[in-house]
Amino acid sequence: MPGKPAVLVTPESPVPLSVWSSRYWFGNSDVTWLKHLIAGGVSGAVSRTVVSPLERMKILFQVQSKGTGTNYSGVFGTLAKIWREEGIAGYMRGNGTNVVRIVPYSAVQFATYEQLKKLLMEEGKTELDTRRRLTAGAGAGIASVAATYPLDIVRTRISVQTAHALANINDLPKDARGRPIIPRMPGIFETFVKIYKSEGGLRATYRGFGATLAGVAPYIALNFQCYEVLRKLFTPEGESAPSGARKLACGALAGCCAQTITYPFDVLRRRMQVTSMSGISYRYSSTFDAIRQMVKSEGILGLYRGLVPNYLKVAPAIGVSFWSYELAKDTLKHW
């Protein structure tokens, strides 16, 4: 009796990998760190663009001193003044530099925090205790500031230069609608080169770095600590994570708590960054000299100049930052 014909089994051809897949470029290597970098960069760009008008307003409040010709007072009054003098472009003045700075800053910050969490995690546990979480946050803050500080100075200078150019607003030529024509401001590279050549080389691009670290390290540490605690509290029972709206609320509350404690350091950082600019009425030789002069001439409240509008910026910025980071990280899990 003839046997059944043999069935030939042809092995299936492997499905070609998409160029958008991480395995296409890195094979089976663990690229979690890269995903954290990308998610952090996306988070920074989105959050800072959303609050760009409030960020510029905060800087203008911080760097002005009593008796200057150009005075900005009140949140809505300042927003209206910027609109009258510069139009909608005024709200985004310096945002290009800000995004260029914040993408690597946020990327390094989130990626460093995630890596330090792994290193500091005790065996058998899934969460860091408060001390280790604060340490991871502080380390993330230090790494991100060190990597991007020169761009922070450039951003501040561009924003302030525009305000000084408008000191004699009535003398500027007008366009067809009667609005002043803003003179061309130096760009990112031009401003960096000018600082480097005329103010002391690389050291000048890190002016105020000490005050910045003193403020940023505890600020980032408190930010992550508050967010992680609030995230756990806002997560409904039986679920692994809160909703998007609750993540926004967690980030907003965490940012406000951390900012209240560390805000004076932020004011000192801005003052130190612009102290050598022409048209600035104050001169500081060091961070401690800046504190002494500010308290003497402006009182303790001078260290909190711009805090209220900063709340309006920090709440949505940090909320959107954490929300967009988690969204991007979840999206990249299967990349």
Side-chain angles (χ1 to χ4, degrees):
M1 185 174 179
K4 295 182 180 179
V7 178
L8 297 176
V9 179
T10 305
E12 294 183 5
S13 300
V15 178
L17 293 173
S18 167
V19 294
W20 299 107
S21 167
S22 61
R23 290 181 60 195
Y24 180 89
W25 301 99
F26 303 101
N28 293 320
S29 300
D30 183 8
V31 291
T32 305
W33 61 270
L34 179 59
K35 295 177 182 180
H36 291 156
L37 274 175
I38 295 172
V42 170
S43 166
V46 172
S47 64
R48 290 306 167 135
T49 300
V50 167
V51 298
S52 179
L54 293 169
E55 172 70 11
R56 174 140 194 259
M57 179 175 61
K58 184 198 77 169
I59 292 175
L60 293 176
F61 280 150
Q62 288 179 336
V63 300
Q64 72 175 351
S65 60
K66 290 184 177 180
T68 54
T70 303
N71 290 313
Y72 296 88
S73 178
V75 175
F76 297 107
T78 298
L79 290 174
K81 181 179 174 67
I82 294 173
W83 173 264
R84 287 195 307 270
E85 296 178 353
E86 305 174 54
I88 193 170
Y91 294 136
M92 294 295 163
R93 187 83 60 187
N95 188 56
T97 314
N98 198 21
V99 170
V100 169
R101 179 191 73 91
I102 204 64
V103 166
Y105 175 88
S106 184
V108 170
Q109 182 184 117
F110 278 104
T112 302
Y113 179 70
E114 296 283 6
Q115 291 302 309
L116 288 176
K117 278 177 66 176
K118 286 183 180 179
L119 291 174
L120 296 172
M121 189 70 68
E122 295 179 278
E123 188 175 352
K125 293 189 177 181
T126 57
E127 288 187 11
L128 296 177
D129 57 27
T130 299
R131 181 173 60 85
R132 286 180 170 82
R133 190 179 289 142
L134 287 171
T135 301
I142 292 171
S144 56
V145 170
T148 62
Y149 191 76
L151 281 171
D152 191 34
I153 283 192
V154 170
R155 175 182 67 104
T156 301
R157 292 292 182 90
I158 289 175
S159 186
V160 174
Q161 282 169 348
T162 304
H164 284 176
L166 297 173
N168 299 311
I169 188 72
N170 294 326
D171 297 331
L172 293 175
K174 306 294 191 295
D175 61 16
R177 298 174 59 185
R179 296 188 304 184
I181 299 174
I182 310 301
R184 177 189 171 275
M185 294 292 107
I188 298 173
F189 182 74
E190 187 178 349
T191 301
F192 178 84
V193 171
K194 182 179 179 181
I195 295 172
Y196 184 88
K197 288 185 175 180
S198 63
E199 298 182 27
L202 187 62
R203 183 178 179 180
T205 65
Y206 277 87
R207 182 176 286 112
F209 184 65
T212 301
L213 281 185
V216 169
Y219 171 69
I220 300 301
L222 289 168
N223 226 353
F224 279 113
Q225 168 66 15
C226 292
Y227 179 77
E228 297 271 22
V229 171
L230 289 168
R231 188 182 188 277
K232 190 174 181 179
L233 291 174
F234 277 57
T235 301
E237 190 176 350
E239 297 185 20
S240 60
S243 64
R246 292 188 178 193
K247 288 177 183 176
L248 286 169
C250 290
L253 291 171
C256 288
C257 290
Q259 188 72 90
T260 302
I261 297 171
T262 62
Y263 189 75
F265 291 106
D266 195 32
V267 175
L268 287 170
R269 171 170 63 116
R270 297 298 180 199
R271 291 291 186 97
M272 291 297 293
Q273 287 177 345
V274 301
T275 186
S276 61
M277 289 179 65
S278 60
I280 293 293
S281 60
Y282 44 79
R283 290 289 182 271
Y284 306 130
S285 59
S286 66
T287 301
F288 293 108
D289 181 51
I291 296 173
R292 182 184 62 80
Q293 288 194 43
M294 287 178 66
V295 172
K296 183 179 179 180
S297 62
E298 304 174 45
I300 293 294
L301 292 180
L303 296 173
Y304 287 88
R305 187 181 296 277
L307 179 60
V308 173
N310 196 53
Y311 280 143
L312 299 179
K313 186 210 76 165
V314 163
I318 303 302
V320 171
S321 177
F322 277 112
W323 171 79
S324 55
Y325 172 72
E326 292 210 38
L327 179 63
K329 187 171 73 168
D330 290 342
T331 303
L332 291 170
K333 275 183 179 179
H334 306 292
W335 173 54

